[in-house]
Amino acid sequence: MYPFLLAKFPYLVFYQHLAVVKKEPHPIYIIIYSIGLAVFTSGTLFSSQSWLLADARKLSEVPQASQQAGSIYIPNIITRDLQGKQVDIKLTGTTKPTVIYIFESRCMWSASNYSNIKRLAEEVGDKYNFIGISLSDHKLENYIAAHPFQFPIFKTLLPTQHTKEVSLGVVPQTIVISRTGKTTKRWLGVYAGDVAREIEQFFRIKLPGLTVDGPPNAQPLNCSFCLDDSGLLYSQGAKILNGNRSQICKPNGQWGQI
């Protein structure tokens, strides 16, 4: 701002002179003033430009938001194996990033997406650790028999301080966890449309598509459930009493106050 104020200085001095002498200036004064003003203004603009460039350099040095901006720290997940034994799966200090695939045997979209997750695990299983979690054990053995996975499958999910920050009740859901336990990517729903394109670009693979198409123009392409503190699963619209608070399961897989 100051260089632009200084640029007016010759102008003010010149017309102050006119106010004192109270007469038209000699032409030579006008020429000299014009040349001086042009030189002074050029220098001022150069100085202003230098200041702007310096400010731009400072802005460029400020860390910009990365792909991990807003990521959630999930150091572990607590679930149960197929025999019902509680398992604490560590997600930090691993040799490879982890892909967590969350599904539910009663959700038609989970079945529709089977070929896609199977292909994904086959293609990048050497670069990522894959973990499958069914939110319930409802006829899970029959489901796995009909949809065999190439990676470990666990049943139910016990919410922790960290996992409560993520809407894990939306299925199918795919989460990529870095070796330091931070979420780097997360996709809700089946691998179709924009989700499929993003996954193909991120993992550099080609997906086969959905096994069974859903209803025409169906939205959203997922099922929503809510988990209580003990890991029990509730359908959308279910109401529970949590302490002295009444809660309802919302479409985004989160509990809301009534």
Side-chain angles (χ1 to χ4, degrees):
M1 180 178 69
Y2 293 107
F4 293 104
L5 291 177
L6 291 174
K8 296 182 180 180
F9 181 74
Y11 174 87
L12 295 174
V13 172
F14 182 72
Y15 279 92
Q16 182 65 26
H17 167 75
L18 295 183
V20 173
V21 300
K22 297 181 180 180
K23 66 178 182 179
E24 291 296 325
H26 192 279
I28 191 63
Y29 289 158
I30 297 178
I31 295 174
I32 294 174
Y33 163 75
S34 301
I35 295 174
L37 180 60
V39 173
F40 191 87
T41 303
S42 299
T44 302
L45 291 175
F46 177 79
S47 176
S48 300
Q49 185 180 26
S50 299
W51 289 9
L52 292 174
L53 289 174
D55 289 340
R57 284 193 295 269
K58 290 179 181 179
L59 288 174
S60 66
E61 295 171 0
V62 177
Q64 300 299 309
S66 65
Q67 187 179 28
Q68 296 187 17
S71 64
I72 299 174
Y73 179 58
I74 305 180
N76 68 309
I77 52 176
I78 300 176
T79 181
R80 293 186 176 90
D81 61 20
L82 297 181
Q83 288 70 46
K85 181 180 178 180
Q86 183 170 307
V87 181
D88 188 342
I89 303 176
K90 303 295 183 182
L91 300 176
T92 57
T94 57
T95 57
K96 296 183 290 186
T98 302
V99 174
I100 301 176
Y101 183 69
I102 302 174
F103 64 97
E104 215 284 330
S105 58
R106 291 169 292 183
C107 177
M108 64 162 291
W109 295 116
S110 293
S112 297
N113 201 52
Y114 172 71
S115 295
N116 284 327
I117 184 61
K118 182 174 181 290
R119 173 68 59 82
L120 178 61
E122 291 172 347
E123 294 289 336
V124 300
D126 59 331
K127 300 176 182 177
Y128 294 85
N129 295 319
F130 277 76
I131 297 173
I133 300 177
S134 174
L135 292 184
S136 76
D137 58 0
H138 178 75
K139 297 184 178 179
L140 182 58
E141 292 183 0
N142 295 337
Y143 183 87
I144 293 177
H147 306 87
F149 292 91
Q150 293 77 34
F151 47 86
I153 300 296
F154 300 88
K155 60 182 182 180
T156 70
L157 187 63
L158 301 179
T160 65
Q161 174 185 352
H162 303 284
T163 58
K164 285 181 179 180
E165 300 181 37
V166 187
S167 300
L168 296 178
V170 179
V171 294
Q173 180 173 170
T174 309
I175 307 174
V176 181
I177 309 290
S178 70
R179 291 182 296 173
T180 59
K182 292 184 178 181
T183 58
T184 57
K185 273 293 185 181
R186 180 173 173 235
W187 295 280
L188 304 179
V190 298
Y191 300 173
D194 292 340
V195 172
R197 284 188 287 272
E198 287 184 15
I199 290 177
E200 288 179 333
Q201 292 175 3
F202 183 82
F203 292 105
R204 298 181 179 180
I205 66 167
K206 182 64 178 177
L207 295 170
L210 301 181
T211 304
V212 179
D213 292 331
N217 302 318
Q219 291 292 337
L221 305 183
N222 59 58
C223 304
S224 295
F225 301 92
C226 295
L227 300 167
D228 68 5
D229 291 340
S230 64
L232 292 178
L233 197 67
Y234 293 85
S235 299
Q236 178 182 335
K239 300 177 182 179
I240 65 170
L241 184 63
N242 186 0
N244 296 324
R245 298 176 300 172
S246 295
Q247 296 180 313
I248 185 170
C249 180
K250 300 190 297 184
N252 63 356
Q254 296 278 30
W255 290 106
Q257 302 299 323
I258 301 177

